[in-house]
Structures are given as structure tokens and as C-alpha cells.
Amino acid sequence: MRKTWSRWCGMALAALVLAGCQTIQTTQGGAVGVDRGQSMLVSASEVEQASAQQYQQVIAAAQKKGQLNRDRRMLTRVRGIANRLIPQTSAFRADAPGWRWEVNVIESNELNAWCMAGGKIAFYRGLIDRLKLTDDEIAAVMGHEIAHALREHARERVSQAMVTNIGVSVLSAAVGLGQPGAELMGTVAKVSFELPNSRLHETEADSMGVELAARAGYDPRAAVGLWDKMASQSNGAQPEWLSTHPSHATRKAELARDAARVMPIYEATRRR
């Protein structure tokens, strides 16, 4: 009897979760044609709030360790590139330029960068120094990370986590149990920093990132050579944060295809 009751409760919870899902289009397709409906179980505002709180914790921890924005020249460079990219986000969604964007550089030797929901960006100094990135290459990385935020990949992954019970406590929160705010924040942190993005999400971010760079006046072809640099720093394997991408050769071919597609946009931007 107890087993039957538990199974019934599980089915009821699953039904409630699925009933709450909405399939939406978070972005316009752009020139690269990213056009896919996404099933969402939590609201954009909830994920943005949780992301903002998580971001402030990371920034506060870096500041406490003396690792936040120590090199003024590098910070100015990174923020200058961001200031050119951010207005171009309107090509994919009209509300994005008005987000409360934040851009910071963390003193760390890691090959890492990310953009959380709502436009919270962190660049790690190791990524720039170890790979000797040009401005075009920084724009390629940043455009890729911004694309994750535009597509609300974190929100989509939190929703998937609820359905697949990766976050059982978050599922409980969805039906009125537990501590919703704290659990949602924990799950946002997990999908942002611990669990790798899916290959689909990474491919979408690659395509959109190339277009964002081109619209901002950065050479979209820089994205192709950038990943050669990545491979050279990881003994032929991609860094952990890129581990779900296609093979190196496949990825270069796809980036080259997208770069060619947006070259007219880049050339038009340069003539202005």
C-alpha cells in the first residue's frame, strides 16, 4: 500500500510539474537562424534574482581575496568590449540592452568566463593572459557567454532539473514545499558552475556569439582560431567548461560556417 501511495504521489508531482511547463521563444533567430522553442517551468524573474544573488557572492568572495579587478587597464579593456557587444543583443531580444549588466575581471589562472542570467559577466584573467587573446577573440568568448544568457539556458536547465529530479528539493519548492528561494539559488549555482552545458546549448551560443561579435564590429572569424588556442592549452582536449562541445574539427567547421554567414554584417559595420 505504501509503495502504491508513493508511486501515486510521484506521478501526481510529475503531472503538476509538466502542467506548469510553458514552451516559449526566448530570442529571435538572428542571421544565424537559432530558432527553437524551450520548455520553462520557472519564471525568468526568479532565475534572474537567484543569479544576481549568486553573482554577488562570487564577486564578494573574489574581492575579499584581493582577486577582483586588480588590473585597471585589463578591466577597462574587457568592459569596453562588453559595451560594444551589449547594444547588439537587441538583434536577438529587445529587452536585453536594458538588463542590469555587470562586468568584472577575476584574478585567476583559470581558462574561464561566464555570463549568468540577466547579464552578470565574469572574465578570468588566465583566459586572457594564457591564450594572449586579441580583442576580437575576447569578443568571441564574451559573445558566446552572453548568448547563454539571451537564450536563458540556465532557466531551461533548472526547469529540466526539476523534471528529471536532479533537484528534488527544487521540485518540492515548485509544489509549495521546502525553502523555494534558497533551493532555486542552489540549483542555479549548480547549473551555472558545476554541470556542463548541453551540446545543443553550446552550439546555439557559438552561433549567436559569432553574430554578436560581427554586429559589434569584431571579426567573427576570430572565433575559429580561438579554439585552436584552447586546444593548445589543454593537451589537445578542451577545457572542462567546453567539454560538451562537438569535436575540435567539427566545431571549427561550424564556426567557420557561421562566420561566413555573418561576414556581410561585419563588413557593413566596419564601413559605418
Side-chain angles (χ1 to χ4, degrees), residues 22-263:
Q22 291 182 323
T23 300
I24 63 172
Q25 291 281 359
T26 55
T27 59
Q28 301 176 54
V32 291
V34 174
D35 185 18
R36 175 180 63 87
Q38 297 162 274
S39 296
M40 302 298 195
L41 188 58
V42 294
S43 71
S45 60
E46 288 174 312
V47 174
E48 286 178 18
Q49 183 178 3
S51 295
Q53 292 173 341
Q54 188 66 38
Y55 184 78
Q56 290 308 316
Q57 288 186 8
V58 173
I59 295 305
Q63 188 168 32
K64 186 176 181 179
K65 296 175 183 177
Q67 297 177 337
L68 184 67
N69 301 328
R70 277 176 27 191
D71 186 331
R72 182 59 53 179
R73 183 178 298 179
M74 180 173 288
L75 178 63
T76 299
R77 181 186 178 197
V78 171
R79 285 183 173 173
I81 294 169
N83 287 340
R84 287 174 57 176
L85 286 168
I86 289 168
Q88 308 312 318
T89 60
S90 62
F92 292 102
R93 51 187 298 166
D95 64 322
W99 288 353
R100 295 181 179 178
W101 294 86
E102 294 185 55
V103 184
N104 289 284
V105 177
I106 295 175
E107 290 286 329
S108 169
N109 201 39
E110 290 182 50
L111 296 175
N112 203 3
W114 38 265
C115 179
M116 299 185 76
K120 308 303 184 185
I121 298 172
F123 243 75
Y124 289 58
R125 181 170 186 143
L127 183 64
I128 298 173
D129 284 349
R130 288 172 58 188
L131 300 186
K132 297 181 173 56
L133 295 186
T134 65
D135 285 1
D136 290 325
E137 290 167 340
I138 292 175
V141 174
M142 192 178 295
H144 173 99
E145 298 305 325
I146 287 173
H148 281 306
L150 295 177
R151 287 291 290 164
E152 298 187 48
H153 284 154
R155 180 184 172 197
E156 186 175 16
R157 295 170 70 203
V158 168
S159 298
Q160 292 167 349
M162 291 180 180
V163 173
T164 59
N165 285 335
I166 293 175
V168 175
S169 54
V170 180
L171 177 58
S172 298
V175 294
L177 304 173
Q179 301 176 358
E183 299 295 350
L184 178 59
M185 186 174 167
T187 303
V188 167
K190 183 179 287 291
V191 301
S192 297
F193 304 126
E194 298 177 25
L195 301 178
N197 282 297
S198 70
R199 177 170 174 173
L200 175 60
H201 287 179
E202 293 289 10
T203 299
E204 288 181 345
D206 272 353
S207 295
M208 290 174 61
V210 165
E211 182 170 341
L212 286 171
R215 290 184 180 279
Y218 294 104
D219 191 336
R221 295 167 295 188
V224 181
L226 169 64
W227 309 116
D228 283 327
K229 290 186 175 182
M230 285 288 189
S232 71
Q233 285 290 320
S234 52
N235 297 319
Q238 298 182 94
E240 185 176 349
W241 66 294
L242 297 174
S243 61
T244 54
H245 272 290
S247 70
H248 186 64
T250 299
R251 186 174 191 203
K252 285 183 63 176
E254 291 176 347
L255 284 168
R257 175 204 64 199
D258 289 331
R261 191 176 293 171
V262 300
M263 278 301 291

